[in-house]
Amino acid sequence: MIRLEGVTKQYGGFTAVHPLDLHVRRGEMFGFLGPNGAGKTTTIRMIAGVLRPTAGRILIGGYDTVAEPVNAKQIVGYIPDRPTLYEKLTGAEFLRFVSGLWGRDGDAAAKRADELLDLFELTAWKDTLIESYSHGMRQKLLISSALVHSPDVIVVDEPMVGLDPKGARLIKELLRAFTAAGGTVFLSTHTLEVAEALCDRIAIFYQGRIRAMGSMDDLRNEAEAGTAGLEDIFLKLTRSEDVVELVAALRASGGVV
Amino acid sequence: MARRRAREAASLSRVLVLGFAGIVFWGLMFGIMFRMLSYFEAAEGIGDVLAVKLLSLIFLAFLSILLLSNIITSLTSFFLGRDLELLVAAPIDSVRVYGARLLETIVQSSWMVVLVLVPVLSAYGLTYGGSWPYIITVLITVLSYLVLPAVAGAAITLLLVNIFPARRARDLLALLALFGAAGLVVLFRLLRPEQIVRPEGFRDLVDFVAALETPGSVWLPSEWAARAVLSGLPIEHLNGDRFPLLLLASTAAAFVVLGCILHTRMYAQGFSRAQEGAELRDRTGRRTPLIEHVFGKLPITTRSLVAKDVRTFFRDTTQWSQLILLAVLVVIYIYNIKVLPLRTGEDVGFFLINVVSFLNLGLAGFVLAAISARFLFPAVSLEGRTLWLLRSSPLDLRALVWCKYWVGVTPLLLLAVSLTVGTNLILCVGTFMMILSVTTITVMTFAIGALALGFGALFPRYETDNAADISTGFGGLTFMMTAVGYLACVIVLQAWPVYSVLRARAEGAAITPAQITSLAVGLGLAAALSAAAAVIPLRAALVRLNGA
């Protein structure tokens, strides 16, 4: 459903993403992990059609994001990590606007927006300007907006940021139900337990390259980590074992950790 | 490294262009003032009086602008700024907060006025032979003069925010509009421009001079400022009179103290109220809002974009509060045309009126360029932070550019045509000039709108939410210079052929084929230039957005 072929991104002389080949199947939940500055958000923005790759091509449902952007974007719902919304629109107006961008109109679109507002417990706030929303409410509205046009693919960067436990559980269930119904999810997160619990396959991305990819078992084998959890595998594959040692040293010295 | 070097080179070229434009502007301003004051100086008796009157008019006009500007700026600097939460939570004395924010408000709302005052006051100094005492007097005067509207503006905002939550922009702006309108009426009442332009209305010269010598109002700080500045110059009856300067400086100091007391007492409550911004919209529960009914015939994507743009525009304080200033500008513009002393002489009639109507086009074009800089130029920048949504949607960016263009140009066109037709009717111009000027202003509006949108996309400023800030940068200046250049070209291309045809008609002579040809060539070239000015920037905007 999502296919990356030799996708590269350069900013001037700096290569953020080295040639990247990847295939995410229909109905799959794919986790994309990596430390800060690894190039995850750049990759996600390229898949969502916000950025153009410097080289290579990205196919969504068989549509090239550069050659046939309208067809490709028609089936994608994108949830960025630090979004700016239209502060002077109300929640309901924002969803109506996003529906309009995807060409959805009439009662069916309005009904879908109402259902999502209800699902995310935003109905009481739907006629309030977004500038008054809390961080969690914004995140819920943002996720609603990515679902309002019933996409086949969800591309999501840090979905749990700012959500309360109930909201986080809702998102997890929602993503599970989405993939169970044949939808595809490309998910980037720092919450490793979320990735571990939800994803069918995980890629560890580091310095613009995939270091390891596969199921949890595949990653354990690759990291020679025995029965270790994703956190240890992640730290090992991203060469951050010294972080573990540092935390241990601080604990031993009675520091703040 | 290469990117840094490229950025440094770009910023150097910006500084050079800005510096050059600034020097040209200052030079022009200084030249005009110096010439005028030299005439005044040469006129025995009445000259000095006119010089005083002119300066007090300048200070008075700026005072009302400064007051409005300070009210709007202090809303952000005292209540809506993003850093305020940190500042208010920090253990800082409220007097220090007041001082720092007042200074910020003064700088942000007054820098343009200071830029204009520099050549004006230099011209006064050079014409009347001012030296060091004059410079010191000017510095103290201008500083005190700027402090007064800033303190008043901050205090008015403080009171308003204590009555209404700061984000209830509509209520606040309804009051601001009232202030604007009231300020305008007071301004015209005090200016009494008819007395200056119609000296024949006085019984004799003594009456005229007496009317001029009467201060606009002894209560107005602008009058004190004018007299304080001129007390540093060897002008008869003003030289060495330190009372206006002392009055101005001591009032400014007293204002700061009073403002500080008011701030200490009311700021905490006002700031707290300013955070209570939850505002309910669309309480009617209507399924399809009115605004979407109005644009119901448009395709859904375009309709959504237009409805979003209209809504966000009218709900954003920084956007539509400037409409008050625009209304003031339009009223002054029409008023000026109305009081032009065209019909006071015996044989000015047909020819002069038509020429004025023609020149009026250039001025109207300039007004349109200024409005476009404020409202159309920031259109793409304001979309910047939410561009992720538009770019990830299946929206064709051409639709976005077209939508922005028409949403901006349609009201601009209505304003331009009404202004031109209105002023032409006041001037009683002939059919030829009416058709020519309405056609020209229509074409100019399309071109200027495209230039503003195109330059806005080529020089975006995504880092700010404040539309007023966006148009004051390098891109805004480049747009204004290009727009003025375009206007000058269109006027020059039309001027000679129109002049020769008008002259022939005024003299009752037949219009020759050569005149018709030159008219056709002039108008054709102006149309071609306008088409280029409309198409090229819009294409550039699209390329830029697609490649961003």
Side-chain angles (χ1 to χ4, degrees), chain B residues 261-305:
Chain B
I261 293 170
L262 200 67
H263 176 88
T264 311
R265 294 203 175 162
M266 299 181 76
Y267 182 68
Q269 193 196 340
F271 183 78
S272 175
R273 283 186 70 97
Q275 310 312 304
E276 299 160 13
E279 194 177 351
L280 214 59
R281 294 282 175 187
D282 193 19
R283 276 173 266 209
T284 54
R286 210 184 286 125
R287 199 77 183 154
T288 312
L290 183 67
I291 193 168
E292 282 164 39
H293 268 303
V294 174
F295 300 109
K297 296 281 178 215
L298 297 172
I300 173 66
T301 314
T302 315
R303 194 196 322 153
S304 301
L305 282 169

Side-chain angles (χ1 to χ4, degrees), chain B residues 124-145:
Chain B
Y124 267 90
L126 277 174
T127 312
Y128 290 96
S131 58
W132 280 109
Y134 173 69
I135 294 171
I136 294 164
T137 310
V138 162
L139 286 176
I140 299 170
T141 306
V142 171
L143 191 66
S144 311
Y145 168 77

Side-chain angles (χ1 to χ4, degrees), chain A residues 138-158:
Chain A
R138 282 164 192 259
Q139 188 69 2
K140 287 176 181 176
L141 183 67
L142 183 68
I143 295 167
S144 306
S145 75
L147 296 170
V148 78
H149 60 284
S150 308
D152 295 335
V153 176
I154 294 177
V155 180
V156 50
D157 201 355
E158 290 299 342

Side-chain angles (χ1 to χ4, degrees), chain B residues 19-188:
Chain B
F20 177 72
I23 288 167
V24 168
F25 172 75
W26 275 3
L28 271 174
M29 195 81 195
F30 177 80
I32 292 167
M33 283 302 296
F34 189 72
R35 190 79 190 264
M36 203 187 297
L37 290 171
S38 301
Y39 275 126
F40 287 175
E41 200 199 9
E44 289 272 330
I46 193 171
D48 290 352
V49 181
L50 280 171
V52 178
K53 194 76 182 171
L54 180 66
L55 192 60
S56 64
L57 288 183
I58 291 171
F59 274 124
L60 180 60
F62 283 154
L63 192 66
S64 56
I65 292 168
L66 280 171
L67 185 63
L68 264 179
S69 170
N70 274 300
I71 291 174
I72 293 162
T73 309
S74 54
L75 191 64
T76 305
S77 55
F78 281 96
F79 296 100
L80 300 178
R82 290 185 179 174
D83 56 341
L84 280 167
E85 197 152 311
L86 189 68
L87 207 65
V88 170
I92 307 172
D93 182 21
S94 72
V95 175
R96 278 170 188 265
V97 173
Y98 180 70
R101 290 286 142 165
L102 187 67
L103 193 65
E104 187 185 313
T105 309
I106 292 175
V107 171
Q108 280 187 1
S109 54
S110 314
W111 65 271
M112 240 178 200
V113 167
V114 173
L115 277 185
V116 179
L117 279 179
V118 168
V120 170
L121 296 177
S122 306
Y124 267 90
L126 277 174
T127 312
Y128 290 96
S131 58
W132 280 109
Y134 173 69
I135 294 171
I136 294 164
T137 310
V138 162
L139 286 176
I140 299 170
T141 306
V142 171
L143 191 66
S144 311
Y145 168 77
L146 295 178
V147 164
L148 287 170
V151 172
I156 291 170
T157 304
L158 181 64
L159 292 173
L160 289 177
V161 170
N162 269 279
I163 302 167
F164 308 97
R167 288 176 213 275
R168 296 286 298 273
R170 272 202 237 192
D171 304 335
L172 207 58
L173 285 165
L175 281 171
L176 278 181
L178 207 67
F179 279 120
L184 189 71
V185 172
V186 172
L187 182 73
F188 275 119

Side-chain angles (χ1 to χ4, degrees), chain A residues 48-50 70 73-74 80 84 86 88 90 93 96-97 100 102 104-105 110 114 127-129 132 142, chain B residues 3 277-282 287 289 292 300-301 303-304 308 311 315 383 385-386 388 391-394 546:
Chain A
V50 177
V70 173
K73 289 171 182 177
Q74 212 37 276
T84 303
Y86 293 99
K88 296 288 177 188
T90 66
E93 286 168 353
R96 202 156 46 230
F97 171 64
W102 263 265
R104 306 290 197 275
D105 195 11
D114 284 346
D127 294 326
T128 304
L129 294 186
S132 309
L142 183 68
Chain B
R3 282 166 88 189
E279 194 177 351
L280 214 59
R281 294 282 175 187
D282 193 19
R287 199 77 183 154
E292 282 164 39
I300 173 66
T301 314
R303 194 196 322 153
S304 301
K308 188 268 294 173
R311 278 193 185 109
R315 288 176 191 172
E383 210 63 74
R385 292 185 185 191
T386 37
W388 66 268
R391 291 181 68 84
S392 67
S393 77
N546 271 320

Side-chain angles (χ1 to χ4, degrees), chain B residues 11 15 23 43 71 85 95 165 197 229 246 254 297 316 333 360 373 381 385 431 510 546:
Chain B
S11 84
V15 168
I23 288 167
I71 291 174
E85 197 152 311
V95 175
V197 295
V229 163
L246 288 173
K297 296 281 178 215
D316 186 351
Y333 180 77
N360 179 29
S381 293
R385 292 185 185 191
T431 315
N546 271 320

